[in-house]
Amino acid sequence: MFRDAVEAKDLDAVDELLAEDVVFRSPVAHTSYPGKAITSAILREVVEVFEDFRYVRQLRDGSEEAYVFEATVDGLEITGCDFLTLDDEGKVTEFMVMTRPLKASQALAARMAERFEAIKQAAASR
């Protein structure tokens, strides 16, 4: 299950749950990121940016799942939600993240921007 893999920080298990054609929709970027390689690379970096990450609520409706989370970024509390769409095999085909409040989301954007070259390199090497 996705939640178990994330909470265990088992990023190899998370990778196994991503469809090859998954689309990642960031809370801080205008464009979406298509493909397992870039999605995996983003997730591997964001687990380093978030401190005290924890899921606090889970909702499911058929092939749609939502996971509300809380964490800290640069000392700022952030709340967000991971919205997942699953295919018939249970693989994630769409991964959309929304966060609040604005100041914490801006801190998240800044930390991820600092790492984006490494993210692109990691995705290219997969």
Side-chain angles (χ1 to χ4, degrees), residues 18-74:
L18 298 176
E20 290 298 325
D21 61 348
V22 63
V23 175
F24 182 82
R25 300 184 195 289
S26 167
V28 295
H30 177 69
T31 59
S32 58
Y33 299 98
K36 183 175 182 173
I38 190 72
T39 300
S40 176
I42 290 168
L43 295 176
R44 287 177 183 275
E45 289 296 323
V46 80
V47 299
E48 301 296 323
V49 170
F50 282 143
E51 300 169 29
D52 303 319
F53 179 91
R54 66 209 165 276
Y55 283 122
V56 297
R57 188 169 183 199
Q58 178 178 337
L59 305 167
R60 182 175 294 137
D61 183 16
S63 64
E64 305 289 325
E65 297 181 354
Y67 299 89
V68 179
F69 64 84
E70 295 174 348
T72 305
V73 178
D74 288 350

